[in-house]
Every structure is written in C-alpha cells, then in structure tokens.
Amino acid sequence: MPKDELKKYYDMLELPSDAPLRDIHNSFLRLKKLYSGDSIVLAPLGEEFSEKKRKRVLEQIEEAYLKLLEAKKDAPSRTALLFSDGHEPEDGAERDKIGDAPLTGPSLRKLREKAGVDLNEIAKEMKLRMELLKSVEDEKYEALPEAIYLKVHLKNYASFLGLDPVRVTEEYLRRYQAWKEKTVPTEK
Amino acid sequence: MTQTTKVREGEIWAVGGGKGGTGKTFITSSIGTYLAKKGKNVVLVDMDIGGANLHSFFGISRPLKSLTSFFEMGASLSDLVVKTDLDNISLISGDVHSISADKITFSQKLKLFRQIMKLNAQNVIIDLGAGSHYNTLDTFLIADRMVVVLVPEVIAIENMYHFIKNSLFRKVKKILKEYGFKEIVQHIWDRRQSYGINNIRELIDYLKDSFSYIGTILDHELAAFKVHLVLNMVRNNNDILLGASIKSVMMKYLGVPIQYSGYVEYNDAVWKSVRERKPFMINYLATGCAKEIEVLVENVIKGKEVSLPGGY
Ligand SMILES: Nc1ncnc2c1ncn2[C@@H]1O[C@H](COP(=O)(O)OP(=O)(O)OP(=O)(O)O)[C@@H](O)[C@H]1O
Ligand SMILES: [Mg+2]
C-alpha cells in the first residue's frame, strides 16, 4: 500500500503512522463505540450531525481498520510485529526465532497480552464466549467444541490479533487432535 | 502591520470555553501559580468584566486597582497590575461595574490588546469568563496558547463547540480581511444553504476549492489555530475518555484539530481553598488535582496530550 494511503487510514483511526497493532485495535474499538451510539459528545452537534454522515464515518473507520490489519499482515512476520510494538526488529534471525516459536495456547496468550488486547474485547468483537477463549489459551481441550467449530473460532481469534489464521489453526488443531486421540480412543 | 503581530517576548495564554462555572478561573489561577513557582514572571488578566473574581482566588477581597481605570480614565494597563502574596505573580482585576463587556468599543479593544501584548511578563494568562461574545472570542484569538475548559456534561460540550466554531469563524474572517477579502466569508456564509455548506469546515473547504489563492493563505494561517482542551471535574475513567471523544468529533465533523491537553479531577479541596481564600496550588499541592494541573501545563507547553486510561 502506498505510504500516503496508509497515512490516511492511520489518520482516520487518529493514530501516528508508526502505531503498533495494539493501538490499532484499541483505537478501532473506541471509535466504533463512539460513532455507533448516541454519545453526549455527538448529541450537541444537532443538524451538523446527520445520520448519513455518522454512518459514513463508521464505514471509514471500519475500512481503515481492515486496511491497516491487512497492511500489517504483509509485513515479514506478524508475530514479530506484536513483539516489537510495530517496529520491525533489526535482526532478521531474532525475528524468525520469535516467528517460528510453537503456537501453543499459552504462547497465544502471551502474544495477545503483548498486543495489549483483552480477552473480553475479542469475545465482544467476535461474538464468542469468554470461557471458550480462556479454554483455548489454557488448552483445556475437554471444554472445547468439535474441531470444525473450533477451527472457525481460532481463525477469528487469530485474525483479530493480526496473526496468521492458517498457521494458528493448523498448529493448534494438530495439538488438539493429538490430545483427542490419546484420551478418546476412536472406534475402529 | 496587523492586529495580531506580536511585539513582545512573553507568551499569552487565554482560558475560556463558553459555559459558566466550569472552573475557568480556578484553572487560570492554578496555571499561573504553577508557572510562577517554576520561576516564570506571571501576570493574570481578569477579562470577566462584570463577573470578575480572579482576585478572590488569591485572597484579595477588593483590588485597589482594576480595568475600570483603563476604560474610564484611559489609564495604561501596566499601571493597573496588582501584586499578590505570592512571588512572581500579579494580576489585573476585571472588577468593573461602570461598563459591560459588550459595550467595549472597537478602539478600546484594540488598545487593550496592544497593551496586553506589551505587558512586562514572561507569561500573561487571561481569564475570559463565560460566553461567546465576539469580544471574548477576539481576546481568545490573540493568545499563543488557547485553552478551553469544560466539564463532562452535555451543555458544557455544546457551548464549547459553539465557542470553538465561532472562534474559528472569526479567525477566518480576520485572516481574509488582512489579505483584502473582507466581505467574502460573510457573504458566502449568509448564503450557505444555496452553496450546500453546513458548517465552518465546509465553508473553509469551499473557499479553498473556489479560490486557490485563499486556500494557500488559510492553510498557512490556520496551522496556528491550535486549541487545548482541559476537562475539569472528572470523576472516573469514562469522564477522562470523553476528552478523546471530543477531539475525535471536532476533527471528523468540524475538521478542527484540537489537543486534549489535560484533565482535573473533581475535588472538594477546590472549593475549600476558595473559601479559605488561599491559592490552591500552594495549600493543596498533595492532591491529585494539583498534580493534574502540573501535567496539563507541561502538556500544553510541550504539545503533548493526555495518555488515555485503560490502554486506549
Ligand atoms: N476540579 C474541581 N473540583 C471541585 N470543585 C471545583 C473544581 N473546579 C472548580 N470548582 C468549583 O466550581 C466553582 C466554579 O469555579 P470557577 O469560578 O473557577 O468557574 P468559572 O468557569 O470561572 O465560572 P464563571 O463562568 O462564573 O466565571 C467554584 O466554586 C470552584 O470551587
Ligand atoms: Mg470565572
């Protein structure tokens, strides 16, 4: 994406152009809430604040959010972005090491916390139960739904955090399946 | 030379915001006291003609001199400066009964502005009082540091929007007048419906699009129009976050960038200090309020903004 186009999206989310992923999430959630409801900050604008204009602002905020997530995804390592506050690490080896760490439940939690994202934010945004997300991070496999459902949830979770959804689901499900085979012997 | 050309070294702050009772005078006196304690030479000017009470915040019951002499006898402003009990800080009282703010003539106003700019002080801080009268707005516009104080409630926010929009409107008019386009702004504004213009931002955009020469001038001159927002009497994190929402709305709806420079908690110590007739920033230094005032002054000076609670 060209630099000035990127800047436009950062401006829309009221962020500096080097804002880390965490700030992009937080700004998005804050602005979405502000322009979705009837805030006492909007009420006094009267005729200057038309419904049409408000909807347009909301659309722009959502567009900016999606574009910025996408832009972050194009970067060499999404995981590294989370670790380094949006600045790419100088040392490529270091970046790969972080990027290749096995993605377990606890390591996902670490990434999320590094990004400064609250579980209940994800729960709200992705319309998921908190308990479910907690179980994912705790690897409480027995509390998790069938793989086909779990896959969808994991994809949502990963993309919210700007992680690679394919890698997250694959690695997580591999461990989940391994557990399942051990504990619930499948009938042959 | 234009009216806004500054022939001085000091820095002028103006504190306004539209609504009455939001804490403008308290904030003015506290900013002043803090700067004085930092070693700056400070003069406070009470421009709340008719409602002047800045002197009370320093325990002065009846100031010996006031702006009355300026308006009635043509006394010079620098002769009306009254000392306070504190080092480095003195004030000019607005305790004027013979004239109301809206009766100030154009030439009196220009003379007043000229003399304010020449006051012998490193920091001049003007308490504008309530309201959005054009004399108040014009005084706001001479400041280097424009501060609006509001409280977290809908009427204060409404008045503040009005105050800032009208300030900007006057600023645009003034700029264009200096460049010899005096009538055009009002002319277009009066016909805004037929131009499809809804607000000051759209007016500015229309002017820029239609007259590229004016566009260049406005871009250049309006870069200095930077309003600092101070949220007073906050009681929780949601109140603090309102400042960020206001900033967002100002930008997205009115295209006016503002700085969310600070907030001050609600604290009974404020009215206590007023009742005790002692400067707040001296007697209640340990309160959250006092710390927040220090932070807000530093933010204004350094162009920094509030760091929002809760990871926002
Ligand atoms: N942070 C605060 N906490 C508690 N009380 C406050 C606070 N700030 C101001 N007050 C109280 O609010 C009242 C109004 O304050 P102040 O006189 O500074 O407002 P103002 O905006 O100057 O009013 P006016 O528009 O009448 O000039 C005072 O009684 C003051 O003690
Ligand atoms: Mg006052």
Side-chain angles (χ1 to χ4, degrees):
Chain A
M1 205 183 302
K3 265 225 163 73
D4 48 341
E5 200 188 335
L6 259 183
K7 184 171 181 324
K8 192 184 85 188
Y9 294 128
Y10 278 111
D11 282 349
M12 185 44 76
L13 292 188
E14 300 166 10
L15 292 166
S17 291
D18 55 355
L21 202 49
R22 173 190 51 217
D23 293 1
I24 295 174
H25 288 305
N26 286 335
S27 241
F28 168 69
L29 293 176
R30 178 175 70 84
L31 293 172
K32 193 171 165 198
K33 192 166 157 216
L34 169 59
Y35 292 102
S36 296
D38 35 14
S39 156
I40 65 163
V41 165
L42 290 176
L45 280 171
E47 58 181 41
E48 288 176 41
F49 159 62
S50 67
E51 195 57 19
K52 212 172 110 201
K53 204 160 171 190
R54 185 176 65 81
K55 289 232 169 82
R56 178 84 197 101
V57 170
L58 259 183
E59 279 166 21
Q60 287 170 335
I61 290 165
E62 267 158 24
E63 187 196 350
Y65 178 62
L66 291 176
K67 293 279 185 192
L68 288 178
L69 280 192
E70 213 172 275
K72 290 276 187 197
K73 251 178 227 164
D74 291 341
S77 161
R78 268 137 279 168
T79 334
L81 282 171
L82 286 171
F83 270 112
S84 61
D85 267 14
H87 298 287
E88 268 182 55
E90 310 276 84
D91 181 352
E94 174 67 10
R95 183 177 67 219
D96 287 339
K97 203 172 75 200
I98 298 163
D100 290 341
L103 288 174
T104 62
S107 78
L108 284 172
R109 164 175 294 134
K110 252 203 203 122
L111 287 172
R112 173 179 61 74
E113 285 169 353
K114 268 263 155 61
V117 178
D118 249 6
L119 259 195
N120 57 29
E121 278 169 34
I122 307 184
K124 253 222 264 0
E125 204 45 39
M126 299 297 174
K127 302 207 165 56
L128 290 172
R129 281 180 305 113
M130 266 284 276
E131 293 82 340
L132 179 97
L133 292 171
K134 252 210 200 95
S135 304
V136 166
E137 291 186 348
D138 290 340
E139 299 194 339
K140 247 169 84 182
Y141 296 129
E142 67 278 8
L144 295 176
E146 289 291 317
I148 42 164
Y149 299 111
L150 181 59
K151 200 169 160 182
V152 184
H153 299 329
L154 286 168
K155 270 202 169 139
N156 276 334
Y157 175 96
S159 59
F160 188 92
L161 290 177
L163 302 167
D164 180 355
V166 178
R167 186 180 152 196
V168 170
T169 37
E170 266 177 18
E171 288 186 20
Y172 196 94
L173 284 176
R174 206 179 302 138
R175 293 163 66 83
Y176 172 78
Q177 294 294 7
W179 165 83
K180 205 161 186 188
E181 273 155 34
K182 251 195 284 163
T183 44
V184 204
T186 40
E187 284 130 334
K188 291 268 154 87
Chain B
M1 232 198 284
T2 62
Q3 176 185 325
T4 42
T5 308
K6 281 148 195 164
V7 203
R8 65 198 160 73
E9 282 179 28
E11 189 181 71
I12 299 177
W13 296 51
V15 181
K19 187 168 181 308
T22 57
K24 296 175 292 296
T25 308
F26 163 63
I27 300 280
T28 303
S29 70
S30 302
I31 293 174
T33 311
Y34 174 64
L35 288 170
K37 278 204 310 188
K38 277 181 57 156
K40 298 277 187 201
N41 189 308
V42 179
V43 173
L44 307 178
V45 183
D46 192 346
M47 284 298 293
D48 190 358
I49 310 289
N53 58 0
L54 183 59
H55 51 273
S56 310
F57 284 74
F58 292 89
I60 301 170
S61 341
R62 301 196 67 239
L64 294 173
K65 298 183 249 183
S66 80
L67 285 173
T68 308
S69 323
F70 174 87
F71 290 115
E72 287 181 14
M73 278 96 81
S76 112
L77 216 54
S78 55
D79 291 333
L80 302 179
V81 179
V82 182
K83 278 197 165 318
T84 69
D85 287 343
L86 308 178
D87 287 343
N88 293 342
I89 185 163
S90 42
L91 62 86
I92 296 174
S93 166
D95 198 12
V96 178
H97 301 292
S98 50
I99 187 171
S100 60
D102 52 354
K103 290 285 161 10
I104 296 172
T105 65
F106 185 67
S107 67
Q108 278 175 327
K109 186 165 72 179
L110 291 192
K111 190 173 156 204
L112 183 70
F113 290 171
R114 260 196 316 270
Q115 295 201 10
I116 286 177
M117 288 175 188
K118 283 192 190 145
L119 281 173
N120 183 20
Q122 287 165 305
N123 290 101
V124 172
I125 309 177
I126 306 170
D127 180 354
L128 292 175
S132 298
H133 189 274
Y134 60 79
N135 282 337
T136 304
L137 300 181
D138 286 350
T139 316
F140 187 61
L141 290 174
I142 65 166
D144 307 292
R145 309 233 188 248
M146 303 186 281
V147 178
V148 295
V149 177
L150 81 161
V151 292
E153 59 159 80
V154 72
I155 295 175
I157 296 171
E158 186 167 9
N159 290 3
M160 188 269 311
Y161 286 152
H162 187 73
F163 183 89
I164 294 183
K165 277 188 294 189
N166 285 331
S167 299
L168 183 59
F169 188 66
R170 277 192 84 74
K171 175 82 180 172
V172 170
K173 273 204 331 200
K174 217 167 274 191
I175 292 169
L176 293 185
K177 186 177 158 197
E178 282 171 14
Y179 285 89
F181 304 106
K182 188 171 174 230
E183 290 85 12
I184 194 162
V185 185
Q186 195 66 51
H187 181 89
I188 294 173
W189 184 249
D190 291 344
R191 291 160 187 74
R192 61 185 177 279
Q193 291 217 307
S194 57
Y195 285 103
I197 293 170
N198 295 306
N199 60 35
I200 172 77
R201 181 74 244 167
E202 289 172 15
L203 173 70
I204 292 174
D205 289 343
Y206 178 83
L207 288 168
K208 281 179 161 177
D209 289 348
S210 316
F211 316 94
S212 68
Y213 179 65
I214 291 183
T216 319
I217 296 168
L218 286 179
D219 279 342
H220 176 71
E221 299 266 351
L222 286 181
F225 188 87
K226 205 195 294 165
V227 175
H228 297 272
L229 181 77
V230 172
L231 210 51
N232 189 23
M233 305 197 207
V234 303
R235 291 167 201 266
N236 53 44
N237 277 354
N238 277 341
D239 285 351
I240 295 172
L241 284 174
L242 269 187
S245 299
I246 290 167
K247 178 186 160 89
S248 175
V249 168
M250 289 296 296
M251 191 60 202
K252 288 196 173 31
Y253 282 91
L254 305 174
V256 183
I258 60 170
Q259 299 261 106
Y260 181 23
S261 302
Y263 57 84
V264 179
E265 65 172 14
Y266 180 90
N267 195 321
D268 283 342
V270 176
W271 62 259
K272 271 192 209 139
S273 81
V274 175
R275 203 175 48 186
E276 292 160 3
R277 312 181 64 74
K278 301 222 175 82
F280 183 82
M281 294 297 283
I282 300 291
N283 275 30
Y284 290 95
L285 250 194
T287 56
C289 260
K291 303 252 156 40
E292 286 156 356
I293 283 164
E294 295 183 9
V295 171
L296 89 83
V297 175
E298 295 297 336
N299 278 353
V300 170
I301 293 172
K302 295 178 184 134
K304 293 202 330 200
E305 295 192 81
V306 168
S307 33
L308 297 178
Y312 279 105

